[in-house]
Amino acid sequence: MGKETIMKISLFWFWNRAEEIWPNYRDGVKAAMEELGRRGHTVEWCLGEKPLADPESDYILIWGDSRCAGFDYVKDHKAKKGLLLTTDLGMDIESLRKYDCVFAEAQCVVDKIKPFGIRVVKAFGTDTNFFRPTELDYVKPGRKPVLPRYDA
């Protein structure tokens, strides 16, 4: 296996409440970016409705759906661009063609996109080992947890 190229990654979360929610947010995408950081990559989180990317970024990831307006903010940036696709509902195939790669959460979404000739990779999600709650080991993805009941 070859040596991994270290990159500066700008991840965009175009949402008006992203900055407010970010400090307490925990999911597979955040854990995946933390893992990239442990491997030596630099990950810059660009939060909110009009964040700016570092001009020296090697790769820009946009976390959103296929109709995310975020691409317009970074289309002229020299870096390659990828989309962390959040849903296949209302999927706009022509918008997906703008990206160098689409990262889908589930194989069924990959299977929907692949016939259109778009580079798509199953890359993250709650069905991977990136989803690890930090305090509640008994909470597992896809399962209703049994929590203790405390009566007042």
Side-chain angles (χ1 to χ4, degrees):
M1 190 169 154
K3 185 175 171 157
E4 190 172 15
T5 302
I6 301 301
M7 297 192 312
K8 179 169 179 110
I9 302 164
S10 293
L11 191 144
F12 284 77
W13 189 10
F14 288 92
W15 184 41
N16 65 344
R17 295 192 60 202
E19 291 175 278
E20 171 191 347
I21 290 175
W22 170 250
N24 297 312
Y25 200 75
R26 190 83 198 139
D27 82 332
V29 173
K30 188 171 183 180
M33 295 305 114
E34 289 169 350
E35 176 63 26
L36 288 172
R38 281 189 287 279
R39 292 181 183 182
H41 301 281
T42 301
V43 179
E44 166 194 37
W45 283 82
C46 305
L47 307 172
E49 294 179 310
K50 295 183 181 179
L52 299 174
D54 185 322
E56 299 303 315
S57 292
D58 300 305
Y59 207 95
I60 293 176
L61 286 172
I62 295 176
W63 187 14
D65 63 26
S66 63
R67 298 171 195 261
C68 180
F71 188 84
D72 294 336
Y73 291 99
V74 298
K75 67 182 176 189
D76 295 326
H77 197 289
K78 66 178 169 104
K80 289 192 174 201
K81 294 153 195 78
L83 175 67
L84 297 174
L85 185 62
T86 57
T87 181
D88 64 333
L89 298 175
M91 197 159 39
D92 182 346
I93 295 299
E94 289 310 308
S95 289
L96 295 179
R97 294 184 193 283
K98 299 175 185 176
Y99 296 95
D100 295 295
C101 187
V102 174
F103 299 94
E105 183 173 2
Q107 189 60 46
C108 62
V109 178
V110 170
D111 294 342
K112 284 182 182 180
I113 297 171
K114 204 166 251 198
F116 294 97
I118 295 167
R119 183 169 180 229
V120 59
V121 176
K122 182 178 179 280
F124 69 98
T126 56
D127 57 349
T128 70
N129 64 0
F130 284 130
F131 186 88
R132 290 194 183 132
T134 55
E135 296 175 20
L136 304 173
D137 287 336
Y138 50 84
V139 176
K140 304 292 182 204
R143 176 180 141 208
K144 184 177 179 183
V146 178
L147 300 175
R149 181 176 172 172
Y150 298 101
D151 292 323

